[in-house]
Amino acid sequence: MTVQDKPFGKVAVLMGGRSSEREISLQSGQGVLQALRARGVDAHPFDPAERDLGELRREGFARCFIALHGRYGEDGTVQGALELLGLPYTGAGVQACSIAIDKIMTKRVWLAEGLPTPRHVFLRQGGHDPQKLQEVVQTLGLPLIVKPAREGSSLGLTKVTQAGELAAAVEAAARLDADVLCEQFIDGEEVTCLVLGAGETAQAQATVRIEAPGGNYDYEHKYLSNDTRYHVPSGLPPQEEARLHALAERAYRVIGCRGWGRLDVMIDRATRQPWLLEINTSPGMTSHSLAPMAARATGLDYEDLCLRLLAEATLDYAEGRA
């Protein structure tokens, strides 16, 4: 039986939600919804911010495509609810999502496995006094990056070039998350790598090299501007891309992901060392999004990608479930 012939039943496309990435999620969800319907899937929009998740069972949904981003959608919470409801869902499970949403915890796992990620200082709530900020600069040097520990879409991210800018950058990040990550700045090329599958069969797709104005790949340049350039193929030397794919696959596996995930990486301009930044377990599916761009470069168009992910929807504890 092919993916196209697989009986999916009534499918809920979860979109919107209550996170700061709600608007992006609505765009992703509409794209997925149209793609699934175009392939004959009985798909319906479902916004957890407006409806009780219990309605999924009452209304006869058989599985869910998660197009939610950020808190309450990409952090293990909705995955846990779907586990209790016994409804298979796309993407990573509860534990992998809860680790991946937290940039600090993700770094700890990667570092424990010997994987390269930039040096960092973790500022807990209330740990933003002048002495601590001075220690951050002494530890990481300048420039450095400041961002909330649990946000996506580059929300709250600041590149700090002078010590006097650090307090304002930390305050901006802390408005979105009580925990703030200060990270070593890597001067080089920004790339992203989509990984599909689970376990040892998980495979990296085409690398996308990102060229944003001034090297500033922020929210505006991700979703609103047409000035950012995306290079697929990446233009990297073959051996460098192979090394990057192997790193992305290992980073994906040690977090315990399945279905799909997108790894964001910086390649040091001088040494060509790749540095893992973060992993997204529910990548964007908008017109500007990188995951469908990477899949398309390997012969998997947007609709095919959606069908594949839906076909692989499952549960952490699938045995004996509907």
Side-chain angles (χ1 to χ4, degrees), residues 117-131:
T117 184
R119 291 181 294 113
H120 69 284
V121 175
F122 176 29
L123 298 179
R124 292 187 180 277
Q125 186 174 12
H128 311 159
D129 60 86
Q131 182 178 349

Side-chain angles (χ1 to χ4, degrees), residues 282-304:
S282 182
M285 290 291 280
T286 73
S287 60
H288 285 63
S289 292
L290 301 171
M293 196 181 302
R296 188 164 54 248
T298 55
L300 196 63
D301 69 20
Y302 190 103
E303 293 178 4
D304 288 333

Side-chain angles (χ1 to χ4, degrees), residues 122-316:
F122 176 29
L123 298 179
R124 292 187 180 277
Q125 186 174 12
H128 311 159
D129 60 86
Q131 182 178 349
K132 184 64 176 178
L133 297 184
Q134 185 177 1
E135 292 173 5
V136 169
V137 175
Q138 291 172 346
T139 301
L140 302 178
L142 292 170
L144 60 85
I145 300 296
V146 176
K147 50 192 170 184
R150 291 171 288 267
E151 276 293 351
S153 297
S154 298
L155 292 166
L157 183 148
T158 305
K159 180 182 177 182
V160 174
T161 59
Q162 300 180 36
E165 301 169 348
L166 182 56
V170 170
E171 183 179 339
R175 284 196 288 268
L176 296 174
D177 194 314
D179 295 331
V180 174
L181 171 66
C182 299
E183 187 175 59
Q184 172 193 8
F185 173 73
I186 304 296
D187 177 33
E189 295 169 286
E190 185 166 3
V191 298
T192 194
C193 191
L194 176 69
V195 179
L196 299 178
E200 293 305 309
T201 63
Q203 189 170 13
Q205 309 299 301
T207 301
V208 180
R209 182 166 58 87
I210 302 158
E211 192 177 345
N216 185 23
Y217 192 46
D218 58 9
Y219 184 92
E220 180 179 352
H221 289 131
K222 281 186 176 181
Y223 301 111
L224 306 177
S225 169
N226 291 316
D227 295 334
T228 301
R229 297 178 63 191
Y230 302 99
H231 301 275
V232 195
S234 66
L236 298 173
Q239 67 275 16
E240 196 168 284
E241 185 148 8
R243 179 186 180 191
L244 177 65
H245 283 189
L247 176 63
E249 289 167 0
R250 188 175 172 206
Y252 176 93
R253 290 175 184 136
V254 300
I255 297 296
C257 294
R258 64 168 184 253
W260 64 333
R262 200 193 75 234
L263 282 295
D264 295 337
V265 183
M266 289 297 300
I267 301 176
D268 188 288
R269 195 180 312 280
T271 66
R272 308 311 296 171
Q273 166 71 48
W275 295 92
L276 295 162
L277 298 182
E278 59 185 89
I279 181 169
N280 300 270
T281 55
S282 182
M285 290 291 280
T286 73
S287 60
H288 285 63
S289 292
L290 301 171
M293 196 181 302
R296 188 164 54 248
T298 55
L300 196 63
D301 69 20
Y302 190 103
E303 293 178 4
D304 288 333
L305 176 60
C306 291
L307 276 182
R308 171 174 172 165
L309 295 171
L310 186 62
E312 294 176 355
T314 187
L315 292 158
D316 280 341

